[in-house]
């Protein structure tokens, strides 16, 4: 973390108003704790919005976002995980796989999910169920979840921190098919709808 501060990647400001770069002028001072800009590889931590209790988790979460764009080993692992998940989805579409996978597929179809979003929603359901009861997972999909968590942990260790807990939000943040648009820019406004921007838009955490 010290290295990120020293090289200008991690910037600690008292409040959003103290960010002088006009590129971020559209960000409202409405409780933003931190945000990461993948286009410039800059991470901002807003001191007024964090506490000693939340500091580590906020910083760790934003480092997850950064790792998705900058950690080549993680990117390679995630590509393989994405491919494996797509295979599980295709098997479930044929009535194969575990009961959990088949139920996830059923829900995706029952919701009339657009084709381009189906694997994303398939994953979202699986992650929600894992966080409720990981013991309910078996077989290949259990191994997929374990490997996803291991990939996240390894990326954080490479970044120089030791993660204690991997939260549902963290899982979605690093999964390519996870909830893509947490916050994005439209007409100069931040739209806070989900948890992560996959495609080079700003990632923000709000209180």
């Amino acid at each position: 973390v010290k290295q990120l501060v020293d090289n200008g990647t991690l910037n600690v400001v008292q409040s959003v108003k103290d960010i002088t770069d006009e590129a971020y002028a559209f960000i409202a001072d409405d409780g933003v704790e931190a945000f990461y800009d993948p286009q410039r590889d800059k991470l901002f931590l807003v001191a007024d919005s964090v506490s000693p209790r939340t500091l580590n988790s906020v910083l760790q979460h934003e480092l997850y976002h950064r790792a998705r764009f900058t950690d080549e080993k993680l990117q390679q692992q995630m590509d393989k995980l994405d491919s494996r998940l797509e295979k599980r989805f295709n098997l479930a579409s044929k009535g194969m796989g575990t009961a959990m996978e088949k139920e996830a597929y059923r829900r995706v179809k029952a919701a009339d999910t657009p084709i381009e979003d189906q694997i994303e929603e398939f994953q979202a359901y699986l992650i929600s169920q894992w966080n409720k009861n990981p013991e309910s997972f078996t077989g290949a999909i259990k191994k997929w979840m374990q490997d996803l968590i291991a990939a996240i942990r390894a990326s954080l260790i490479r970044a120089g921190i030791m993660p204690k807990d991997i939260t549902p939000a963290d899982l979605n943040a690093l999964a390519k098919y996870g909830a893509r648009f947490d916050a994005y820019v439209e007409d100069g406004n931040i739209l806070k709808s989900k948890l992560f921007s996959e495609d080079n838009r700003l990632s923000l955490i709000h209180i």
Side-chain angles (χ1 to χ4, degrees):
V1 174
K2 182 179 184 298
Q3 183 178 354
L4 293 177
V5 174
D6 291 343
N7 66 22
T9 300
L10 174 58
N11 301 269
V12 181
V13 295
Q14 193 66 41
S15 71
V16 170
K17 296 177 182 178
D18 294 317
I19 301 175
T20 58
D21 192 326
E22 293 185 0
Y24 308 117
F26 60 86
I27 298 178
D29 190 9
D30 61 351
V32 172
E33 295 176 313
F35 66 89
Y36 173 64
D37 179 356
Q39 292 184 325
R40 298 187 177 193
D41 190 26
K42 284 188 175 293
L43 194 160
F44 289 85
L45 187 68
V46 182
D48 282 349
S49 298
V50 297
S51 67
R53 181 180 58 83
T54 63
L55 174 60
N56 286 341
S57 61
V58 169
L59 180 58
Q60 181 170 294
H61 185 88
E62 286 303 307
L63 287 174
Y64 291 156
H65 292 302
R66 183 174 187 267
R68 181 61 176 169
F69 290 94
T70 63
D71 188 331
E72 291 184 3
K73 289 185 178 180
L74 177 63
Q75 291 167 356
Q76 292 170 1
Q77 290 174 309
M78 293 304 298
D79 287 344
K80 292 178 181 178
L81 286 165
D82 292 342
S83 178
R84 285 166 54 189
L85 184 66
E86 186 172 1
K87 290 179 181 178
R88 302 311 304 174
F89 177 85
N90 291 336
L91 286 172
S93 72
K94 300 174 183 178
M96 303 170 66
T98 66
M100 180 73 70
E101 292 168 290
K102 287 184 280 189
E103 176 61 14
Y105 178 80
R106 186 193 69 77
R107 286 175 177 254
V108 168
K109 300 302 288 186
D112 292 326
T113 307
I115 293 176
E116 64 271 19
D117 297 329
Q118 288 182 359
I119 296 179
E120 173 184 325
E121 293 303 319
F122 180 73
Q123 177 196 258
Y125 176 78
L126 291 172
I127 286 176
S128 70
Q129 294 305 302
W130 175 270
N131 287 298
K132 291 177 183 177
N133 183 18
E135 297 303 319
S136 64
F137 281 65
T138 60
I141 198 63
K142 178 178 181 178
K143 183 66 165 57
W144 183 86
M145 287 296 312
Q146 291 172 331
D147 289 348
L148 173 62
I149 293 171
I152 295 173
R153 289 188 183 280
S155 72
L156 291 173
I157 291 171
R158 286 193 293 273
I161 61 177
M162 296 297 292
K164 292 182 179 180
D165 298 310
I166 304 297
T167 69
D170 302 329
L171 290 175
N172 277 328
L174 285 185
K176 183 176 181 180
Y177 293 115
R180 293 182 182 178
F181 302 112
D182 173 277
Y184 58 94
V185 182
E186 183 175 288
D187 297 328
N189 295 315
I190 292 294
L191 303 182
K192 300 178 285 295
S193 58
K194 293 184 182 176
L195 242 167
F196 179 55
S197 167
E198 176 68 23
D199 61 345
N200 284 352
R201 294 170 178 154
L202 292 182
S203 153
L204 296 118
I205 290 181
H206 284 71
I207 295 176

